[in-house]
Amino acid sequence: MGRMKIIPDAKKKELQQILEISGENVKDCMQCGKCTAGCPASSSMDILPHQVIRLLQLGQLDKVANSQTIWSCASCFTCTTRCPRNIDLAKLMEAVRLTIIRSKGSSRLKADDVPGKIDPKMPQQAIVSGFRKYNK
Amino acid sequence: MSLENKQISSENTSNFKPLIVAFCCNWCSYAGADLAGTSRLNYPANVKIIKVPCSCRVNPNFVLRAFQRGADGVVIAGCHPGDCHYTSGNYYTRRRFTLMKNLLEYVGLEPERFKVDWISAGEGNKFAAVMNEALEQVHKLGPNRKLRDARWKR
Amino acid sequence: MKFSYYPGCTLKTKAQELEKFALNSAAALGVELEEQKEWQCCGAVYPLAEDEIGTKLSSVRALAEAAQKNEKLITLCAACHHVIKRVNEDMKTKDDVKNKVNNYLQLAQDYQGEAEVIHYLEMLRDEIGFDKLAEKVTNPLTNRKIGAYYGCLLLRPAETMNFDDPENPSIIEEFIKALGATPVKYPYRTECCGGYLSLDNKELAQEMTDNIMKSALKNEVEELVTACPLCKYNLENKNGKIAISYFTELLAEALGVKE
Amino acid sequence: MQRIGVFVCWCGTNIAGTVDIDQVKQAAEKIPGVVNVQDYQYMCSEVGQNLIKNAIKEQKLDRVVIASCSPRMHEATFRKAAKSAGLNPYLVEIANIREQCSWVHKNKEEATEKAIALVRAAVAKATLNTELVPGEIGVEPRALEIGGGIAGIQTALDIAEAGYKVDIIEKTPSIGGKMAQIDKTFPTLDCSACILTPKMVDASTHPNINLYTYSEVEAVQGYVGNFEVTIRQKARSVNADKCTGCGICTDKCPSKKAESEFDEGLRKRGAIYIPFPQAVPNVPVIDREECLKFKTGKCGLCERVCPSGAIEFNQEDTLVTQKYGAIVVATGYDLINLDKFGEYPYTEHPDVITSLEFERLTSAAGPTAGKFLRPSNGNKPKKVVFVQCVGSRDKSSRGKTYCSKICCMYTAKHAMLIKEKYPEIEVYVFYIDVRTPGKNFDEFQRRAVEEYGVNYIKGMVGKVFPEGDKLQVHGVDALSSETLIIDADMVVLAAATKAKDDAQELGRKLSISTDANNFFTEAHPKLRPVETHSAGIYLAGACQGPKDIPETVAQSSAAAAKAIGLLNKGKLVNNPCVSQVDEQICSGCLACTKMCPYEAISSQVIEVKEQGKIVKKTVAHVNEALCQGCGGCTVTCRAGALDLKGFMNRQILAEVDAICL
């Protein structure tokens, strides 16, 4: 019985929030995996992109929120452009990130950490992007 | 408050039973109304349907006559544009009654009392929804007094 | 030919060459780029959340100014182009965004997506024409095998950016050809370099750029060009074998206005 | 004063449960003209019908109103009953007090009140009803088949066998369609040409079948039983009567640059060409876009080498007009254009092919004589990757939302064909779902996996990167959640099917509708699958939606049965509810002629007496056989001279008045 998974109650409220922030409908997904197949960042993802949608379909938001995947996504829109079901997975990833960093004190990137992460050649664009993506 | 207004408001509060005359084309909307029936979708009994072969059979005179006889709202329903059983009839309906609606508004009729909508044979729920909405709007407006022939008692 | 011009913050600091060569070349081509007076940073990433308004305002200000002047808005940095173009699309198609933004900004006239945003490369292709550009080349870059690195932001999402075929683009190759050099198509030219991941997940960004560089090397690319400061940074970071420059540098060189 | 009988049906409790039948009866009795009111539990039953019949006879009723279910349900039943009792069936009116009353209202009082109003309206209309007699129209005993693929051939053969003449119009130079291009068919793996070509020959030699190849429908007029179709026979530039099909011209033609349509561009053909060796008719055609004679004026080699003098450069398109009783549309399908699927570099790389190209590559009659070789270098591939659902089940703007239905099966077939000839080639199939319902279909697909060792991978391909002389396929196995890279030699794309690009245009000519995907719409998705909303026009094959060969043939025979049924009638009864012109009022403005969608109204000159003099006057004239009774013209008529029988202005106004009482 150890492997048997009891599907936890779907976190309806949080899930609804994610769907509203992203404006996407996870029900459209048929799990073809085209997003994963083309994802250039999949090597450092613990949950693959198509699994992210599957978990959201099942209401298992925690697994997604606690994953490395959402922080590995570079918002490159490769999946967005190819999805046969017109789902913008980049928006879903962003919505999950936002539900985390929008809560108080949960910014992933703190201003104090920045000096350690940059080098003299790094363009402003990287720092501004980082702040927009990881900090609220 | 003027006497007339008082009268109206008293009539409004008393049990105002609006009447809506719906002209439905035989192929789509009449069948849609039947489907609302077979699906037991409720809508108020104040809606009464007259069957026409195509929405383009509806003469603007019919609409005026209904208002003259005291109908509080008139709905014309046809097949969706592009789906007309007679190929193009509902395009004529659309044009004719766009003009008609402007005219009715010009002579002072509340535009909410008259509408043209497209209901296919498969849209029983749309039929009920359109009728419920039409009634709700007419309910808000109260009885049709502007175009009603006072000699005609309903 | 006169355009409004939005530079963006990186072009004033770490990516000054991108701008300098672009402006020199524009002058040589008889194109007037008028820098917007009070442009603000676009935010570098397009806000993907449907409920974010504040982060779109700076783009709308730039767009509204261009619309008011009745000029097309030219961008140079791929990130700025991406952000401003997508915000413009929102202003055209999303009533909710449009209303909230206009309520907030209280511009003299509501902005509804009237301005047209084009990237400098699109200006070269669509306004001047690559054949005309080729005629103006004084110093053709003959015998140079140059690869284009497109990255993500100019191409995707395809329907909004409407820049080129998102999977098999050709605009930069045609540009390279117009300058007299030999464009080399290599398969990974549209793959992501990792972008902002280089801030927080350097290893992953490294791996992603490695894949691109390998693909370029395999196909005998001798130098790479790009339109994005962050792509250039990521590609340069580890590699020493292939020189990476901004496309504008090549342009200036071919037009004889470098320096 | 009329003698009207009102019959109120209980429909068990369906009506009686919500409507107070007695109150309805009492109210009906008070309506002027009503002389007899009865009720019964099931009016549509034989007892109920007899009740009506007896009342008509005994009470001398001249109008009948039945308050019951929807007229769409039983109007025909009650009209028949009235007719058998000697009453003109068009003097029967139905008040719909079930679907539009008892079933949608809960409050008994309100429902009863409404039922009374509906009965009142029906009586008001019935009072003004007149006897109508439907006319008869003849049926031309000849059918037209549009499209000469397997669907068209099958339908034509069936109709011809039943003894009726059939003409087939085929757009390309030969009949045969897509099936002629296919190598083998699933689930039996028998040779497609072996089963198709005999049928093609049968069609061309059948005494009742006449072929119009390289022809298109120019215009369609008329109506069921009496269609008048103008056919454009495009100039072949070859006299089919003189040509012996020897093929010298096609061999000698110096222009060999055009891509063979039949071989999906994998082979070149001449400017004068026969699409494929088994073509029917076996007569070449000159492609004037490619022909040097037409382009430059020089050449004319084919004319010089032709032993029978059949080349005619000055041929022109000819128009033929023919009458038909029935039309069957069988125009088939195409594959979508893959230009927008840049991640699968179909346009860039010769080793990325569509499934239809694959058919040509494995066909013994194909460009490689059946040897499976890479188009890029002619080498034998080691690994082949199939990608299913390329553009199918795709909600984005570049794809089609529907399942193309045939791809799962033909991909399994292709995989097996490779494995059968070359067991050493590794075959991978990427799929989203495998959908193989159908007789012996799933067993077939499982055989590919179990016996032939085809690697089925649930997942999609993200992108195909050309690397050296390989195609690096980046995919995913969604079941094991692993990303995969396969160094393939060839990639075969199961491109989505689509309706013909000109389906809408043909639909307009025929007055039949197309759906959101441009497939022709059947009259009812379940119960009338081969009929259209236009009487006398039927559908067969993939023009109605994606279909495989067995289904196409089944539907073709069904369409043939419908067409034969129509042709066999000889005469048709038409709807008597048609427009009529009051010639005295008609001003001859003829606005109605422009509005009529059926061109049923024309002008005629009549002689009328005006102030003692006989003068000529132009008036509108309704062709009752063409008029479908929409009534649109009655509203267009400024003078009010047009009216619609069965739905006359005064009838509808009477209904309005009665409802507003």
Side-chain angles (χ1 to χ4, degrees):
Chain A
M1 286 297 283
R3 285 198 62 79
M4 197 83 92
K5 185 163 66 182
I6 296 165
I7 292 188
D9 287 344
K11 292 196 153 186
K12 289 226 176 76
K13 205 178 125 205
E14 289 84 349
L15 208 59
Q16 190 54 37
Q17 199 187 357
I18 284 174
L19 301 186
E20 271 167 25
I21 295 177
S22 66
E24 297 299 307
N25 183 2
V26 292
K27 288 182 199 144
D28 285 352
C29 174
M30 304 189 302
Q31 289 290 295
C32 74
K34 196 168 184 179
C35 43
T36 301
C39 180
S42 64
S43 65
S44 93
M45 291 179 173
D46 46 357
I47 301 172
L48 292 173
H50 73 280
Q51 293 175 305
V52 167
I53 302 197
R54 183 67 193 141
L55 289 168
L56 292 177
Q57 285 177 337
L58 293 172
Q60 300 197 40
L61 182 54
D62 287 348
K63 281 198 173 175
V64 179
N66 294 327
S67 72
Q68 168 61 36
T69 298
I70 53 172
W71 307 110
S72 297
C73 167
S75 305
C76 73
F77 311 114
T78 303
C79 49
T80 304
T81 301
R82 292 183 191 156
C83 177
R85 307 301 294 167
N86 252 353
I87 298 175
D88 194 337
L89 181 51
K91 282 192 165 184
L92 281 164
M93 295 270 196
E94 177 93 345
V96 180
R97 283 190 294 264
L98 286 174
T99 52
I100 296 168
I101 61 173
R102 275 182 186 175
S103 43
K104 204 176 169 201
S106 305
S107 285
R108 186 173 170 89
L109 184 69
K110 309 249 164 24
D112 294 344
D113 302 339
V114 172
K117 291 183 185 285
I118 59 171
D119 58 66
K121 285 171 94 180
M122 186 179 271
Q124 276 64 22
Q125 187 192 345
I127 303 159
V128 178
S129 310
F131 263 93
R132 279 275 159 92
K133 285 283 177 184
Y134 301 136
N135 184 302
K136 280 288 156 204
Chain B
M1 197 184 267
S2 73
L3 191 64
E4 197 189 359
N5 282 344
K6 244 183 216 160
Q7 225 173 348
I8 292 171
S9 68
S10 72
E11 255 190 52
N12 276 345
T13 48
S14 71
N15 45 349
F16 164 50
K17 275 196 201 156
L19 171 67
I20 295 206
V21 177
F23 294 95
C24 291
C25 85
N26 181 39
W27 306 97
C28 289
S29 310
Y30 194 85
D34 276 358
L35 182 64
T38 34
S39 318
R40 309 296 200 276
L41 300 166
N42 280 305
Y43 55 88
N46 324 39
V47 176
K48 290 172 186 133
I49 297 168
I50 293 176
K51 186 173 86 170
V52 284
C54 175
S55 58
C56 71
R57 173 67 188 94
V58 181
N59 196 310
N61 284 338
F62 303 167
V63 178
L64 289 176
R65 175 80 143 232
F67 282 124
Q68 183 195 9
R69 295 303 199 220
D72 302 295
V74 175
V75 178
I76 297 175
C79 307
H80 283 269
D83 288 346
C84 179
H85 178 78
Y86 302 100
T87 320
S88 55
N90 52 5
Y91 294 138
Y92 288 92
T93 311
R94 186 164 65 181
R95 276 203 214 167
R96 284 170 186 163
F97 289 98
T98 308
L99 282 178
M100 174 84 173
K101 203 173 165 69
N102 286 344
L103 175 72
L104 288 175
E105 219 179 316
Y106 179 74
V107 299
L109 188 86
E110 300 90 336
E112 293 85 0
R113 288 197 193 275
F114 173 63
K115 81 191 282 182
V116 179
D117 216 326
W118 317 118
I119 302 167
S120 79
E123 293 179 327
N125 45 5
K126 184 172 179 192
F127 183 87
V130 167
M131 294 309 156
N132 277 321
E133 194 197 315
L135 256 163
E136 199 182 309
Q137 284 179 335
V138 168
H139 244 296
K140 275 187 210 146
L141 294 171
N144 150 36
R145 320 190 131 267
K146 297 227 168 76
L147 289 187
R148 177 176 181 172
D149 187 335
R151 292 165 297 182
W152 186 269
K153 286 274 175 302
R154 208 181 87 202
Chain C
M1 243 183 276
K2 185 167 177 253
F3 301 97
S4 283
Y5 164 58
Y6 178 97
C9 47
T10 311
L11 269 59
K12 297 295 177 187
T13 50
K14 302 279 184 221
Q16 288 177 11
E17 321 92 276
L18 176 56
E19 180 178 42
K20 184 178 83 186
F21 295 130
L23 296 180
N24 289 354
S25 305
L29 292 167
V31 174
E32 190 183 337
L33 298 183
E34 189 186 7
E35 183 170 331
Q36 293 197 314
K37 282 204 181 68
E38 291 180 15
W39 62 266
Q40 298 160 314
C41 172
C42 69
V45 285
Y46 167 75
L48 288 167
E50 293 285 310
D51 59 356
E52 279 193 29
I53 298 297
T55 41
K56 291 178 179 168
L57 296 176
S58 62
S59 297
V60 179
R61 286 197 184 97
L63 287 162
E65 195 187 317
Q68 198 221 332
K69 288 192 166 169
N70 209 7
E71 285 174 355
K72 289 182 182 171
L73 182 61
I74 293 235
T75 56
L76 203 44
C77 163
C80 301
H81 182 68
H82 181 89
V83 175
I84 296 174
K85 182 123 190 182
R86 288 188 79 174
V87 169
N88 202 29
E89 183 73 11
D90 288 348
M91 295 300 286
K92 272 188 222 168
T93 57
K94 292 185 183 165
D95 286 343
D96 180 52
V97 176
K98 193 195 310 177
N99 293 338
K100 283 178 180 160
V101 166
N102 280 314
N103 274 343
Y104 185 87
L105 287 179
Q106 294 292 327
L107 301 164
Q109 198 171 1
D110 274 4
Y111 181 73
Q112 324 209 19
E114 295 90 343
E116 194 184 335
V117 192
I118 58 170
H119 188 262
Y120 195 93
L121 277 165
E122 289 175 299
M123 183 268 285
L124 293 178
R125 178 186 62 188
D126 305 332
E127 307 282 335
I128 294 177
F130 285 143
D131 46 344
K132 289 267 154 54
L133 173 63
E135 287 167 16
K136 302 225 173 163
V137 167
T138 54
N139 176 26
L141 313 178
T142 336
N143 295 330
R144 284 166 65 176
K145 291 165 102 175
I146 306 174
Y149 177 68
Y150 285 88
C152 317
L153 298 174
L154 289 176
L155 296 171
R156 297 185 287 264
E159 275 176 24
T160 307
M161 299 313 293
N162 196 20
F163 183 78
D164 203 342
D165 182 333
E167 304 284 357
N168 187 22
S170 56
I171 175 170
I172 305 186
E173 280 83 2
E174 281 163 33
F175 164 77
I176 293 169
K177 210 191 277 173
L179 303 187
T182 311
V184 183
K185 279 193 177 180
Y186 60 102
Y188 275 62
R189 65 197 198 282
T190 60
E191 292 289 288
C192 176
C193 70
Y196 56 79
L197 290 178
S198 53
L199 198 67
D200 192 49
N201 192 344
K202 286 195 168 34
E203 263 174 46
L204 177 57
Q206 198 71 219
E207 189 189 320
M208 290 162 78
T209 43
D210 279 353
N211 287 335
I212 298 161
M213 296 313 278
K214 263 187 233 159
S215 174
L217 275 172
K218 217 173 180 178
N219 287 275
E220 293 165 2
V221 170
E222 288 167 359
E223 45 188 309
L224 278 177
V225 288
T226 176
C228 176
L230 186 49
C231 295
K232 182 165 182 279
Y233 167 81
N234 282 342
L235 293 172
E236 269 174 347
N237 217 358
K238 189 167 171 205
N239 169 273
K241 290 172 199 143
I242 301 181
I244 297 147
S245 53
Y246 292 117
F247 73 98
T248 53
E249 188 173 342
L250 284 191
L251 178 63
E253 194 180 336
L255 294 174
V257 291
K258 195 174 168 182
E259 301 324 312
Chain D
M1 196 79 206
Q2 278 80 3
R3 294 183 62 78
I4 303 173
V6 175
F7 300 86
V8 187
C9 179
W10 294 36
C11 196
T13 56
N14 279 313
I15 293 171
T18 330
V19 171
D20 186 329
I21 303 284
D22 280 338
Q23 277 195 42
V24 175
K25 280 177 69 184
Q26 282 163 22
E29 275 161 5
K30 289 189 194 128
I31 305 174
V34 175
V35 293
N36 186 271
V37 181
Q38 298 191 47
D39 64 312
Y40 187 67
Q41 283 194 319
Y42 294 102
M43 208 53 92
C44 58
S45 68
E46 205 178 332
V47 184
Q49 290 190 45
N50 285 335
L51 202 83
I52 300 171
K53 287 183 205 167
N54 290 338
I56 291 172
K57 287 181 200 149
E58 286 162 16
Q59 303 285 330
K60 298 198 169 54
L61 300 180
D62 60 5
R63 301 283 191 283
V64 169
V65 169
I66 296 149
S68 63
C69 55
S70 170
R72 296 165 55 85
M73 198 80 190
H74 277 308
E75 188 173 59
T77 313
F78 293 126
R79 278 184 174 169
K80 227 164 147 187
K83 195 178 173 194
S84 74
L87 189 70
N88 182 293
Y90 291 90
L91 297 173
V92 175
E93 276 300 318
I94 309 281
N96 182 346
I97 62 166
R98 191 178 76 174
E99 279 84 349
Q100 296 182 3
C101 187
S102 70
W103 275 356
V104 282
H105 308 314
K106 288 197 183 112
N107 182 315
K108 195 159 181 174
E109 196 186 324
E110 285 179 4
T112 306
E113 208 176 292
K114 177 165 171 182
I116 292 170
L118 294 178
V119 169
R120 213 163 45 217
V123 171
K125 188 179 177 200
T127 308
L128 298 168
N129 277 12
T130 52
E131 292 192 356
L132 297 177
V133 183
E136 272 190 347
I137 44 175
V139 176
E140 183 73 25
R142 178 189 283 266
L144 174 67
E145 182 61 54
I146 306 174
I150 179 60
I153 293 170
Q154 181 67 39
T155 316
L157 284 171
D158 285 355
I159 297 173
E161 277 301 298
Y164 296 100
K165 297 273 180 201
V166 194
D167 292 353
I168 300 180
I169 299 183
E170 165 59 43
K171 194 190 254 183
T172 70
S174 168
I175 58 169
K178 289 274 186 296
M179 189 174 169
Q181 291 179 274
I182 294 173
D183 178 31
K184 300 225 159 49
T185 57
F186 59 76
T188 45
L189 289 185
D190 47 357
C191 150
S192 182
C194 310
I195 54 177
L196 177 69
T197 37
K199 276 187 184 280
M200 289 165 62
V201 174
D202 283 355
S204 68
T205 54
H206 200 293
N208 279 345
I209 298 180
N210 179 30
L211 298 181
Y212 289 101
T213 51
Y214 209 46
S215 300
E216 286 178 47
V217 173
E218 179 81 6
V220 181
Q221 285 189 315
Y223 46 92
V224 55
N226 296 276
F227 295 105
E228 207 175 278
V229 181
T230 309
I231 301 164
R232 174 177 292 273
Q233 283 188 288
K234 291 177 277 186
R236 238 179 212 279
S237 316
V238 176
N239 185 324
D241 295 330
K242 289 186 190 165
C243 175
T244 60
C246 69
I248 294 178
C249 54
T250 59
D251 286 346
K252 299 284 182 206
C253 177
S255 158
K256 289 256 179 349
K257 282 192 208 129
E259 291 187 340
S260 156
E261 293 83 358
F262 182 78
D263 280 318
E264 291 292 312
L266 294 169
R267 184 152 49 181
K268 302 283 184 223
R269 61 156 169 82
I272 184 165
Y273 69 104
I274 295 176
F276 54 103
Q278 301 79 21
V280 170
N282 187 24
V283 176
V285 55
I286 295 180
D287 178 347
R288 294 187 173 185
E289 308 260 291
E290 295 290 333
C291 175
L292 295 170
K293 175 81 178 173
F294 282 97
K295 284 205 298 199
T296 64
K298 292 174 202 144
C299 190
L301 186 59
C302 48
E303 191 180 24
R304 291 197 293 278
V305 298
C306 179
S308 45
I311 308 291
E312 292 176 357
F313 292 120
N314 55 358
Q315 238 183 41
E316 282 176 14
D317 289 7
T318 47
L319 295 177
V320 184
T321 301
Q322 182 64 259
K323 281 192 88 176
Y324 299 100
I327 298 177
V328 181
V329 185
T331 48
Y333 72 101
D334 271 323
L335 297 185
I336 61 162
N337 186 324
L338 294 176
D339 285 357
K340 290 212 166 109
F341 288 83
E343 66 267 42
Y344 309 131
Y346 170 72
T347 45
E348 295 286 298
H349 204 290
D351 291 339
V352 182
I353 60 171
T354 65
S355 38
L356 205 50
E357 290 166 23
F358 183 92
E359 296 284 353
R360 297 314 305 148
L361 278 186
T362 49
S363 167
T368 54
K371 289 199 196 75
F372 185 48
L373 302 172
R374 298 177 64 177
S376 62
N377 56 14
N379 293 340
K380 202 176 87 182
K382 294 191 186 75
K383 285 184 194 174
V384 180
V385 170
F386 287 86
V387 186
Q388 294 196 181
C389 285
V390 178
S392 299
R393 308 171 74 198
D394 186 328
K395 282 174 111 175
S396 74
S397 60
R398 52 187 192 162
K400 301 286 177 190
T401 51
Y402 50 83
C403 166
S404 291
K405 202 171 187 180
I406 52 176
C407 324
C408 285
M409 282 299 284
Y410 71 58
T411 300
K413 175 188 79 179
H414 291 168
M416 272 193 258
L417 289 176
I418 295 180
K419 283 297 218 181
E420 195 145 291
K421 276 192 200 163
Y422 313 100
E424 67 283 6
I425 296 181
E426 279 181 51
V427 179
Y428 298 86
V429 176
F430 283 90
Y431 69 93
I432 302 177
D433 294 293
V434 173
R435 298 176 157 183
T436 50
K439 194 171 170 182
N440 295 324
F441 279 18
D442 202 59
E443 295 89 328
F444 180 82
Q445 189 269 334
R446 287 310 303 167
R447 236 168 65 212
V449 179
E450 294 164 19
E451 288 176 27
Y452 289 87
V454 176
N455 300 300
Y456 267 76
I457 301 170
K458 185 192 156 58
M460 269 305 252
V461 170
K463 188 160 182 164
V464 175
F465 295 102
E467 278 292 359
D469 72 336
K470 294 277 180 188
L471 291 162
Q472 209 181 64
V473 177
H474 287 225
V476 66
D477 176 9
L479 294 180
S480 68
S481 285
E482 277 174 343
T483 49
L484 312 167
I485 294 178
I486 300 172
D487 272 324
D489 300 293
M490 285 185 73
V491 173
V492 186
L493 306 174
T497 58
K498 67 166 183 182
K500 288 278 182 186
D501 289 336
D502 57 0
Q504 264 195 328
E505 197 190 326
L506 181 64
R508 261 195 297 276
K509 285 179 188 163
L510 292 163
S511 294
I512 61 175
S513 53
T514 47
D515 65 16
N517 294 310
N518 277 350
F519 289 112
F520 293 116
T521 321
E522 64 280 14
H524 189 283
K526 287 180 279 283
L527 303 178
R528 296 171 69 196
V530 299
E531 293 161 82
T532 64
H533 279 297
S534 290
I537 301 182
Y538 308 101
L539 303 174
C543 66
Q544 180 253 351
K547 263 178 213 70
D548 58 24
I549 296 169
E551 260 188 291
T552 295
V553 172
Q555 200 196 13
S556 303
S557 289
K562 286 283 169 193
I564 294 164
L566 167 63
L567 299 179
N568 196 33
K569 274 185 183 161
K571 281 203 169 5
L572 291 173
V573 170
N574 65 356
N575 170 20
C577 295
V578 292
S579 289
Q580 57 182 6
V581 184
D582 185 334
E583 290 173 353
Q584 290 211 296
I585 302 176
C586 177
S587 67
C589 75
L590 302 178
C592 49
T593 59
K594 294 181 195 84
M595 185 277 163
C596 179
Y598 301 99
E599 297 179 30
I601 312 179
S602 54
S603 68
Q604 69 172 3
V605 179
I606 55 165
E607 289 181 345
V608 286
K609 235 182 176 177
E610 229 171 59
Q611 295 169 335
K613 273 195 290 187
I614 292 186
V615 291
K616 286 192 172 168
K617 176 182 168 186
T618 303
V619 292
H621 173 72
V622 177
N623 179 339
E624 297 199 349
L626 287 178
C627 176
Q628 300 291 306
C630 70
C633 55
T634 62
V635 185
T636 302
C637 183
R638 292 154 192 162
L642 274 158
D643 212 344
L644 183 66
K645 291 187 209 167
F647 293 93
M648 290 189 293
N649 287 331
R650 51 200 200 106
Q651 287 179 302
I652 297 176
L653 289 172
E655 279 185 274
V656 172
D657 290 355
I659 278 178
C660 294
L661 263 177

